[in-house]
Each structure stands twice: as C-alpha cells, then as structure tokens.
C-alpha cells in the first residue's frame, strides 16, 4: 500500500482559503427597536415552580420606526434580538437567586405562539444588580411587525425571595433590511 504525503504548504494554503471564505457575522443596515418595562418581583416566591411575569399589550412602534427609517415592511428581512437584561431599579436587586431565565414574546391573541428571544442558563452565582440574558437567533418579525406584543419572563429560582424588588427589563431588537 502506497502512502501519499501532502505538502505542508498545500495544507496551509487550503486552511487559509477555508478561513478567508468564512465571514464573521455581517452587520446589516437596519434600525433599533428598544423597549423598557418595569415590574416587581414579590417576596415569598420559591424555587419549586417557574414564575411567569407577564407584561401585556405593549406598543411595538413598528410603523413609526419604519417611517422614520424611510422603509416599508417588505424591506425588512428580519427582526432579531440584540440585547436583553433585567436589573434592579434602585441598585439593590440580587439576581443570584435566579437559576434560569427565559424571555418570550407573543401576540396577546395567541400566548402559545411565543418566540423565545433571550435566555440564561445557568445564571451566575455572584450577587449582582443586573442579569444579562443571551439573545437567541430567532427571527421575531412575525410578532414585532404588528402593532402590539406581550412579554413573558419566566424565572426559575434557587431560593425564596425575601423582599419586594422593583425590576427593569431592557430589550433591544434590530430590524434589518
């Protein structure tokens, strides 16, 4: 049996060609869709169930943002989550009690047709006033191109909460064209 030896220069050129062909996430033109909502995490909720915090019937401002960008709905190829976080309003929240988090958006008329736009599992154990969530790769255009949407923040806890904690949810999408 005869073995063929591949020249190291050829192998290096092949690898270089493979990496040149790969493109990092290209930034597409678009506009940001930014939302902030406040709610409260009550005392006494515990770790044995998933707790849902519903923020319902929020304006998307999609038509106004389209007009501001000078685009039509047909120009928008997708609306992707870019950033999501929950943080204490007064700087006194401690999110190390959160085991995992799932942020879902849905249309009020169809709560089961949600799209998970951000999540975090596992969450950091160090005490912090802010919990950054990881944006998903889901295209949210189906919901975010309507007039209104709703949010379901599902939290599973490690421990029982002891205080009423005012919290701000920050959510950012990018409508790409």
């Amino acid at each position: 049996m005869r073995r063929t030896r591949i020249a190291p220069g050829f192998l290096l050129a092949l690898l270089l060609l493979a990496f040149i062909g790969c493109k990092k996430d290209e930034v597409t033109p678009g506009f940001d869709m930014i939302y902030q909502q406040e709610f409260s995490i009550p005392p006494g909720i515990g770790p044995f169930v998933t707790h849902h915090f519903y923020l319902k019937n929020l304006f998307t401002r999609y038509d106004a943002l389209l007009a501001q960008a000078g685009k039509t709905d047909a120009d928008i190829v997708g609306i992707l989550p870019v950033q999501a976080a929950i943080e204490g309003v007064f700087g006194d929240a401690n999110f190390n009690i959160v085991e995992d988090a799932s942020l879902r958006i849905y249309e009020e008329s169809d709560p089961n047709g949600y799209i998970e736009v951000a999540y975090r599992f596992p969450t950091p154990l160090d005490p912090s006033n802010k919990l950054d969530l990881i944006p998903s790769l889901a295209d949210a255009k189906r919901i975010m191109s309507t007039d209104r949407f709703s949010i379901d923040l599902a939290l599973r806890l490690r421990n029982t909460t002891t205080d009423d904690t005012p919290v701000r949810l920050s959510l950012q999408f990018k409508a790409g064209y």
Side-chain angles (χ1 to χ4, degrees), residues 8-116:
F10 177 74
L11 189 59
L12 183 63
L14 202 73
L15 281 172
L16 185 62
L17 224 119
F19 284 112
I20 289 173
C22 294
K23 295 181 182 173
K24 202 143 172 91
D25 293 335
E26 292 182 14
V27 177
T28 59
F31 57 86
D32 292 327
M33 301 172 72
I34 299 172
Y35 306 94
Q36 287 191 338
Q37 287 295 126
E38 292 185 7
F39 64 98
S40 189
I41 299 176
I45 60 174
F48 301 112
V49 295
T50 299
H51 303 279
H52 294 267
F53 298 89
Y54 297 101
L55 307 167
K56 296 183 179 185
N57 210 16
L58 307 171
F59 288 105
T60 62
R61 301 182 315 276
Y62 182 68
D63 291 332
L65 292 168
L66 277 177
Q68 184 179 9
K71 299 294 179 185
T72 65
D73 182 58
D75 295 330
I76 304 302
V77 294
I79 299 176
L80 300 175
V82 175
Q83 187 175 19
I86 53 176
E87 62 184 309
V89 173
F90 300 112
D92 60 348
N94 186 356
F95 290 109
N96 69 346
I97 64 163
V98 176
E99 176 73 25
D100 69 59
S102 174
L103 181 62
R104 307 160 182 173
I105 60 169
Y106 62 96
E107 293 177 288
E108 188 70 27
S109 61
D110 185 18
N112 292 327
Y114 66 83
I115 298 172
E116 183 179 57

Side-chain angles (χ1 to χ4, degrees), residues 82-158:
V82 175
Q83 187 175 19
I86 53 176
E87 62 184 309
V89 173
F90 300 112
D92 60 348
N94 186 356
F95 290 109
N96 69 346
I97 64 163
V98 176
E99 176 73 25
D100 69 59
S102 174
L103 181 62
R104 307 160 182 173
I105 60 169
Y106 62 96
E107 293 177 288
E108 188 70 27
S109 61
D110 185 18
N112 292 327
Y114 66 83
I115 298 172
E116 183 179 57
V117 294
Y119 65 94
R120 187 73 185 253
F121 179 77
T123 57
L125 291 172
D126 58 332
S128 175
N129 186 56
K130 184 175 182 181
L131 177 62
D132 288 314
L133 303 178
I134 301 165
S136 71
L137 299 174
D139 184 1
K141 183 178 179 184
R142 173 176 57 90
I143 295 172
M144 296 308 293
S145 63
T146 62
D147 290 336
R148 296 175 177 269
F149 74 107
S150 295
I151 295 174
D152 173 14
L153 176 63
L155 299 177
R156 196 164 48 92
L157 305 177
R158 291 185 178 105

